[in-house]
Amino acid sequence: MPHDPCTRPIDKSKLVSTLQSIVSKDAVLFEAEDLYPYECDGLSAYRKLPMLVVLPETIEQVQQILKHCHQENIPVVARGAGTGLSGGALPLEDGILLSLAKFNKILDINAEQRIARVQPGVRNLAISQAVDSHGLYYAPDPSSQIACTIGGNVAENSGGVHCLKYGLTVHNIQQLKIITIDGELLTIGASGLDSAGYDLLALMTGSEGMLAVIVEVSVKLLAKPERAQVILAAFDDVVKAGTAVGNIISAGIIPAGLEMMDKLAIKAAEDFVHAGYPTNAEAILLCELDGTNEEVSEHVLMVRKILNASGATEVRTAKDEDERILFWKGRKAAFPAVGRLAPDYYCMDGTIPRKRLPEVLKTMAELSREYNLPVANVFHAGDGNLHPLILYNANNEGELERTEEFGSKILELCIKVGGTITGEHGVGIEKINQMCVQFNALELTQFHAIKTAFDPLGLLNPGKAVPTLHRCAEFGAMHIHNGELPFPDLERF
Amino acid sequence: MNTSDISKELQDKVITASNKKTPLSIQGGATKSFYGRQTSAEILDTRDHQGIINYEPTELVITAHAGTKLSVIEQTLADNNQMLSFEPPAFGDAATIGGTIACNLSGPRRAYCGAARDYVLGTRLLNGKGEILSFGGEVMKNVAGYDVSRLVTGALGTLGVILDVSLKILPRPEAEITLAHQCTITEAFKKLNHWARSPLPISASCFTDAGMHIRLSGTEGTIKATKKIIGGDEINNSDHFWHSIKEQQHSFFNNDRNLWRLSVASNSKELSLNGKYLYEWAGALRWLLSDEPADKIYKMASSLGGHAILFRNQTANDNTFQPLPEALMKLHKNLKQSFDPYGILNPGRMYKDF
Ligand SMILES: Cc1cc2nc3c(=O)[nH]c(=O)nc-3n(C[C@H](O)[C@H](O)[C@H](O)COP(=O)(O)OP(=O)(O)OC[C@H]3O[C@@H](n4cnc5c(N)ncnc54)[C@H](O)[C@@H]3O)c2cc1C
């Protein structure tokens, strides 16, 4: 029987004392005032207080907690740093929020093997800092890297500005220790480059806390490039900037990072960090090249040529390391920078085939007029991952709803042009309805079957990531796609 | 190029088999029928489901029907100065892309650029109920839903019949050379692990009786500079050499003994198992010709944090793959059940139990 909140009321005080017998007394939070910090993740439009929060610090404790929840049919939501942008760590009011904040130790750095074994609550940036003296680093670098945890990164398959060349989380981890809902500890992946059986490492990556709790992560480390150089190019037209991206790739160059920002984003970032961005440009591209000294020199020349030939109005190479960092600072701070332009902003995360960029931007501009909400665009241009940021004011009656509707239109546009509703932020609770557009009933049923293979009672993060078919039927009644009723064979209510 | 889509036909066959609960053996060019446990069942031939459906060099993506010949894909990419950077072994001209992905076999570049699974962006599948399902897509970043496309990569057809696959592709390096070093295996390990900690453009490494071979890939300037750091003698048949390693045509492989593939931590010491060795991937991949008992080999691999595969010469009842711990085996069976409830897709090809 999947978890059903109506079947049995949970005796909270009994649960508190059981949990306190597993972890230390002060590692169980149950008073409302202690629960508030956990009421939402980075998507603060959705809030809910958990029944209680538990902060274990050993693998055995997590095993015992999960075993107990399994026995008593209590749902569990895992949480890293709570920087997720899709409501993945949104608590359940009848469930336990399992914080991995105390799992914050780097267990082993094996420089020779280029692997770091860390606990899931370790912050992304802390790994690179810890291995820096060995000349190594951990490549995936989400803009939230100061705060987000490696456990959260695995659960979301997070990317960063360097993933065009160095891959996403799934490409940069080697082994996980996970605990399934029945308390079983499993090691998946291996110390070698592949492992026996199915690729559960890939299945776990991006599974949004739905399949198991991650309690240890072995990440791959890379040698720091000998040299990195960034080029900034300005364009008087976003389409030209998009074409330039294709031209660089056609020339056989895979830049370490290739980012685009539109006018509103440029202006916001410039006002915020004074990176020296040309604020009169319609779009800028930041193109980072790294590798050996010779390779970077050769590629910088080639890329400058391509950018000029693609109609750039200005092409600038960072004159030193400080300027390189400054160029990136503007990009990495783009979200908070845009956030200063309005009381609230809503960050979207669709991916599209790059060549469809002009029509997507055009439609988005039309939608922006239709909904009367400004939108700034930050774009991982190399891999087609768009982050439109919709500016709004939640205090204005109905504006949040309008924003969400605008947002879902953007996601459906991404699907229509052959892309996806989420490139790196995950589905969580936020994009659950759009999952009904991207996948049909059979595919969603297959997802549920996978979930059942790990968690037959449906206790891990229920209600997230994969919608029920009933939910899709309800949503479909509102959204008729191409004149066809989605899920026609399901009863409506 | 002509494409032919026989999804419907394949679907009908799977539905019939699932109704009758009779197993199917999924087969493309049959170049890898030696790989995995030896089973017998009615053959589901994918070769007529072939052709490149979409290829756009600037988007770095290619999508093809599973029966498309690997050689056709590689030639098409080469014509545009691109490649499958996991350098898959074909083991024969008939090899298809579907079989390549189902086996997740990757060649010399793997340790430096990633495996087949790292380049899979999306798949269209037939599960064991005969349902056609699509996962992932043709874009580089996609985290909507579980990563089923990577899960079926390397699943040896036990979870679904791969109908179509989308792969990320990369530009071919401007230049490549191979340097030969005379040294002992201990020195080779030491050097390889040391170099891997510097940002050098190494794209393959191998240690045979003839010493260590290292391939460099990149721009002319990089290669020239790196050659000075690494030293050694440039060989003049670089492509041929790596092809012979990848396709197991090197004289090492010309042998009747059991061929084992051990995947272990790259800095593991020399193994105490009797036999003849060939090393790749900076020591992370070790080919072993040996008559040692299987149990002993599996035990050794697992003690080094890795696993072993009886790659060639298995007999009917052999366990080809490293035994799984009980809890993991249970999870595998559950997953198999979720895709193929009647157990009709390549049953027993990976493990006896499913
Ligand atoms: C300003 C800002 C910039 C961002 N930039 C990027 C970016 O560039 N790229 C990018 O990809 N993302 C980005 N994000 C999103 C976010 O930082 C990532 O999704 C990150 O991986 C979340 O990590 P976390 O530790 O905060 O996880 P949380 O938000 O706590 O949790 C995220 C999900 O993971 C699950 N989870 C967490 N820990 C575990 C565990 N140990 N076991 C099982 N499940 C677990 C949770 O249940 C939840 O579903 C950004 C966010 C912000 C606020």
Side-chain angles (χ1 to χ4, degrees):
Chain A
M1 247 308 274
H3 165 75
D4 174 355
C6 304
T7 45
R8 190 159 27 131
I10 296 160
D11 182 341
K12 182 168 165 182
S13 59
K14 207 171 129 208
L15 180 58
V16 168
S17 60
T18 307
L19 292 176
Q20 283 177 334
S21 72
I22 298 173
V23 296
S24 68
K25 236 181 150 131
D26 55 0
V28 184
L29 312 176
F30 50 89
E31 303 286 3
E33 66 194 54
D34 296 327
L35 301 178
Y36 279 117
Y38 299 92
E39 69 173 346
C40 66
D41 63 5
L43 181 71
S44 56
Y46 295 79
R47 290 167 197 268
K48 211 173 256 174
L49 284 186
M51 176 169 63
L52 51 82
V53 176
V54 59
L55 297 115
E57 54 190 320
T58 68
I59 286 183
E60 293 71 30
Q61 289 172 351
V62 177
Q63 286 180 288
Q64 285 181 48
I65 294 168
L66 292 183
K67 242 184 220 157
H68 183 74
C69 291
H70 188 226
Q71 243 166 42
E72 300 295 321
N73 211 21
I74 301 167
V76 183
V77 178
R79 179 183 170 106
T83 67
L85 289 173
S86 55
L90 181 74
L92 296 170
E93 55 205 358
D94 64 341
I96 289 183
L97 190 80
L98 182 80
S99 165
L100 292 133
K102 291 191 177 176
F103 280 83
N104 58 2
K105 283 169 211 65
I106 293 180
L107 300 171
D108 183 42
I109 295 170
N110 188 330
E112 186 169 55
Q113 224 185 307
R114 301 168 315 280
I115 289 182
R117 202 159 56 82
V118 307
Q119 292 187 322
V122 169
R123 291 172 304 108
N124 172 297
L125 186 61
I127 301 177
S128 290
Q129 285 168 340
V131 300
D132 185 69
S133 59
H134 298 283
L136 301 170
Y137 75 113
Y138 174 63
D141 57 344
S143 305
S144 51
Q145 69 184 145
I146 312 171
C148 65
T149 68
I150 190 72
N153 290 174
V154 174
E156 300 286 11
N157 192 15
S158 299
V161 295
H162 288 101
C163 58
L164 175 64
K165 182 166 176 184
Y166 296 106
L168 304 157
T169 306
V170 70
H171 302 108
N172 288 281
I173 58 173
Q174 192 142 340
Q175 192 168 59
L176 294 177
K177 282 192 181 152
I178 61 170
I179 301 177
T180 47
I181 187 68
D182 53 5
E184 193 81 53
L185 176 68
L186 301 173
T187 301
I188 60 179
S191 304
L193 294 177
D194 44 40
S195 59
Y198 293 148
D199 195 339
L200 301 182
L201 202 61
L203 185 61
M204 275 304 295
T205 311
S207 65
E208 303 195 22
M210 304 276 291
L211 302 181
V213 175
I214 299 153
V215 290
E216 192 182 294
V217 186
S218 296
V219 300
K220 293 182 190 167
L221 304 171
L222 297 182
K224 285 196 283 182
E226 187 179 8
R227 182 172 151 212
Q229 185 60 273
V230 70
I231 301 171
L232 183 158
F235 292 85
D236 57 10
D237 176 2
V238 278
V239 175
K240 283 188 199 159
T243 310
V245 171
N247 293 343
I248 293 171
I249 287 167
S250 301
I253 297 172
I254 301 293
L258 190 49
E259 298 285 308
M260 191 194 290
M261 292 161 78
D262 74 358
K263 191 162 195 166
L264 193 52
I266 299 168
K267 174 95 179 45
E270 182 55 27
D271 289 348
F272 191 37
V273 304
H274 312 293
Y277 291 169
T279 48
N280 57 349
E282 286 299 317
I284 59 168
L285 280 183
L286 288 176
C287 177
E288 178 152 294
L289 299 160
D290 73 6
T292 60
N293 201 5
E294 295 76 15
E295 187 178 353
V296 173
S297 300
E298 289 169 60
H299 282 170
V300 164
L301 283 178
M302 283 168 77
V303 167
R304 288 189 62 107
K305 232 190 217 155
I306 295 167
L307 289 167
N308 282 318
S310 309
T313 52
E314 184 189 350
V315 178
R316 252 194 264 161
T317 308
K319 61 179 184 295
D320 52 25
E321 185 61 13
D322 287 344
E323 192 172 54
R324 185 183 81 86
I325 289 167
L326 188 63
F327 281 179
W328 277 118
K329 195 169 162 201
R331 165 60 190 89
K332 290 213 171 188
F335 292 6
V338 170
R340 300 185 340 145
L341 302 180
D344 301 285
Y345 73 94
Y346 185 32
C347 172
M348 314 297 305
D349 168 47
T351 308
I352 57 167
R354 229 184 313 98
K355 62 173 182 219
R356 309 296 291 266
L357 183 67
E359 66 183 286
V360 169
L361 289 177
K362 192 167 149 265
T363 313
M364 222 177 328
E366 284 160 13
L367 287 167
S368 166
R369 278 192 294 276
E370 185 184 325
Y371 284 91
N372 193 23
L373 294 166
V375 56
N377 267 296
V378 179
F379 186 37
H380 299 300
D383 40 36
N385 187 198
L386 276 172
H387 290 313
L389 303 162
I390 306 173
L391 305 179
Y392 72 104
N393 182 350
N395 291 329
N396 292 346
E397 175 81 26
E399 205 158 301
L400 172 61
E401 290 70 25
R402 244 179 41 241
T403 302
E404 287 187 322
E405 200 181 309
F406 181 7
S408 49
K409 286 269 166 68
I410 295 177
L411 296 182
E412 284 160 33
L413 175 65
C414 292
I415 301 174
K416 203 179 113 205
V417 300
T420 175
I421 56 174
T422 173
E424 57 183 12
H425 294 167
V427 173
I429 191 71
E430 179 205 20
K431 302 177 200 82
I432 195 128
N433 288 335
Q434 281 70 39
M435 284 291 282
C436 312
V437 184
Q438 184 156 342
F439 295 99
N440 66 32
L442 294 175
E443 289 151 357
L444 294 173
T445 303
Q446 185 65 65
F447 285 148
H448 286 297
I450 292 172
K451 162 87 170 157
T452 304
F454 281 78
D455 175 21
L457 301 180
L459 293 171
L460 287 172
N461 219 0
K464 311 277 178 64
V466 186
T468 62
L469 299 187
H470 282 145
R471 186 175 179 126
C472 289
E474 283 181 10
F475 176 70
M478 300 182 293
H479 285 241
I480 305 218
H481 187 59
N482 296 335
E484 305 157 30
L485 193 63
F487 309 99
D489 36 342
L490 283 173
E491 57 181 307
R492 308 274 144 181
F493 26 124
Chain B
M1 181 193 163
N2 292 336
T3 65
S4 113
D5 182 341
I6 60 158
S7 306
K8 188 75 192 67
E9 220 171 284
L10 294 169
Q11 182 178 32
D12 289 344
K13 287 186 177 153
V14 171
I15 290 175
T16 306
S18 75
N19 287 337
K20 294 198 291 196
K21 308 211 172 17
T22 50
L24 293 172
S25 173
I26 309 162
Q27 189 174 295
T31 53
K32 293 165 195 74
S33 44
F34 67 86
Y35 183 65
R37 296 185 67 253
Q38 302 300 299
T39 59
S40 66
E42 189 192 326
I43 288 180
L44 183 75
D45 190 333
T46 62
R47 281 175 304 174
D48 287 338
H49 186 61
Q50 62 81 27
I52 294 171
I53 314 165
N54 184 28
Y55 170 43
E56 287 189 64
T58 58
E59 299 280 325
L60 300 177
V61 180
I62 191 164
T63 300
H65 291 315
T68 315
K69 277 169 78 174
L70 180 61
S71 57
V72 169
I73 291 186
E74 292 193 312
Q75 188 55 53
T76 306
L77 296 176
D79 292 344
N80 287 280
N81 229 349
Q82 295 186 322
M83 63 176 186
L84 296 175
S85 40
F86 51 98
E87 221 175 357
F91 298 134
D93 180 60
T96 63
I97 191 67
T100 302
I101 297 306
C103 293
N104 188 33
L105 294 175
S106 308
R109 216 180 291 273
R110 191 268 173 261
Y112 307 92
C113 297
R117 59 87 90 171
D118 292 306
Y119 290 88
V120 172
L121 299 175
T123 47
R124 205 162 62 95
L125 300 177
L126 255 173
N127 68 10
K129 292 187 274 185
E131 297 167 347
I132 294 183
L133 311 171
S134 290
F135 299 101
E138 296 190 314
V139 291
M140 299 292 148
K141 286 167 87 179
N142 186 353
V143 293
Y146 303 122
D147 196 344
V148 176
S149 300
R150 288 203 170 89
L151 178 65
V152 299
T153 304
L156 285 174
T158 59
L159 297 177
V161 182
I162 299 172
L163 292 175
D164 307 337
V165 58
S166 299
L167 297 168
K168 177 175 177 178
I169 50 187
L170 286 181
R172 281 162 87 88
E174 191 180 304
E176 280 188 339
I177 62 164
T178 295
L179 299 168
H181 280 250
Q182 292 305 322
C183 61
T184 65
I185 181 66
T186 317
E187 286 162 357
F189 279 175
K190 214 167 142 190
K191 282 184 175 153
L192 285 166
N193 278 303
H194 173 73
W195 287 329
R197 290 171 59 183
S198 329
L200 299 172
I202 298 177
S203 69
S205 58
C206 173
F207 188 90
T208 64
D209 281 350
M212 177 167 63
H213 284 82
I214 302 211
R215 185 175 64 191
L216 305 178
S217 304
T219 61
E220 301 278 2
T222 313
I223 288 182
K224 226 170 114 195
T226 311
K227 197 176 155 187
K228 278 195 205 129
I229 300 171
I230 286 192
D233 305 316
E234 187 172 341
I235 67 169
N236 45 26
N237 49 0
S238 174
D239 287 352
H240 174 80
F241 176 78
W242 295 107
H243 187 264
S244 77
I245 298 290
K246 168 170 84 95
E247 298 297 338
Q248 303 191 337
Q249 290 161 355
H250 187 275
S251 58
F252 169 87
F253 295 100
N254 187 6
N255 198 300
D256 298 333
R257 287 156 90 187
N258 287 343
L259 176 66
W260 289 87
R261 174 192 186 278
L262 288 97
S263 169
V264 295
S266 61
N267 62 344
S268 307
K269 288 200 272 302
E270 273 184 84
L271 308 184
S272 58
L273 298 162
N274 284 322
K276 231 179 130 218
Y277 289 87
L278 183 146
Y279 302 82
E280 288 190 74
W281 303 358
L285 183 66
R286 299 172 186 205
W287 298 101
L288 167 64
L289 290 162
S290 173
D291 300 320
E292 293 269 30
D295 288 352
K296 189 170 168 193
I297 294 178
Y298 288 131
K299 215 164 158 184
M300 169 68 75
S302 102
S303 75
L304 297 170
H307 70 113
I309 298 174
L310 177 51
F311 202 81
R312 284 189 197 262
N313 288 346
Q314 45 278 74
T315 53
N317 285 316
D318 280 338
N319 283 328
T320 306
F321 298 102
Q322 181 91 22
L324 296 175
E326 197 184 318
L328 257 188
M329 179 51 95
K330 189 177 133 214
L331 207 48
H332 276 69
K333 286 187 200 162
N334 290 352
L335 277 169
K336 167 74 173 174
Q337 172 78 21
S338 79
F339 280 86
D340 179 20
Y342 313 112
I344 57 160
L345 301 177
N346 282 1
R349 181 82 188 256
M350 189 180 235
Y351 287 100
K352 196 160 86 224
D353 304 30
F354 60 85

